Every structure is written in C-alpha cells, then in structure tokens.
Amino acid sequence: MIINKVSGNKYLQYNDTYLNTVWAPLKILKLENQFDILTFVKGGGLTGQAEAIQLGVARQLCKLNEQHRTSLKPFGFLTRDSRIKERKKYGLRKARKAPQYSKR
C-alpha cells in the first residue's frame, strides 16, 4: 500500500485502526494478497483519509466484479460520509458561535 508516495504504514502512523479500515473491504472478500493500493489523498485528517481510501477501494472492487457489491453493502463500505463544514453566518463568530451576551 502506498499513500501519497509514502508507505501506507508510515503515512497512517502504524495505527492499526487506520490500517484495518483501509484493508477491510479486501479482507471481507479475502483478496488482501491479490491487490496493491496506490492512492493520493488530501484534506481532512487521517481518519477521514483512511475512510476515503476505504470507499475508493470498495468502489473499485465493485467495478471489477458486480457480485462484490452484495458482500460489501451490508458493512457500509459503499456509503459516502456526506457531512461537510457548516458555513459561517452573518453576526456570528463561526457557524453557530455567537458573541458573548452583555446585559449592560
């Protein structure tokens, strides 16, 4: 596994949680020794990047064989996390943080 031209283990800081997240779709299909992962990611943190790689791997496996979809779907590997940062509103410091209230 290579992420952003760096070894996957080093990039994900040898964290077993992140590594298991990335390899999970291949482990479920018992294909972990048949594929190499070469990815470029940016933005977010390591958790978000690991989950993005997991989604990409799962989607590519579905493109290779449509029957993989039925195995991966129940585990949620084909679902994108659609949460995004909320925009800043007028009169507030951030999206929801208001200036401190002063009675006098």
Side-chain angles (χ1 to χ4, degrees):
M1 174 173 34
I2 297 176
I3 304 171
N4 293 349
K5 299 180 182 178
V6 179
S7 166
N9 290 334
K10 187 174 182 183
Y11 188 86
L12 296 174
Q13 301 173 354
Y14 303 97
N15 188 324
D16 289 335
T17 305
Y18 297 147
L19 293 169
N20 290 335
T21 299
V22 171
W23 286 108
L26 291 168
K27 286 181 182 174
I28 289 199
L29 298 172
K30 297 179 178 66
L31 300 172
E32 57 263 355
N33 295 328
Q34 295 182 16
F35 292 99
D36 294 330
I37 300 174
L38 173 65
T39 60
F40 295 95
V41 290
K42 64 179 183 177
L46 284 179
T47 303
Q49 289 180 354
E51 291 173 1
I53 294 169
Q54 179 189 56
L55 176 64
V57 168
R59 285 183 176 178
Q60 287 301 316
L61 290 170
C62 288
K63 280 187 179 181
L64 289 174
N65 187 349
E66 282 294 323
Q67 294 174 348
H68 292 326
R69 185 174 186 83
T70 56
S71 302
L72 296 174
K73 189 107 171 121
F75 292 97
F77 294 145
L78 300 173
T79 304
R80 179 184 176 274
D81 187 359
S82 61
R83 295 177 294 177
I84 58 171
K85 186 174 181 180
E86 191 175 345
R87 77 172 196 87
K88 181 189 176 301
K89 276 82 171 191
Y90 173 78
L92 301 180
R93 294 191 177 166
K94 294 167 80 178
R96 297 183 183 212
K97 185 176 183 178
Q100 187 173 10
Y101 174 75
S102 175
K103 192 170 183 177
R104 292 180 186 88

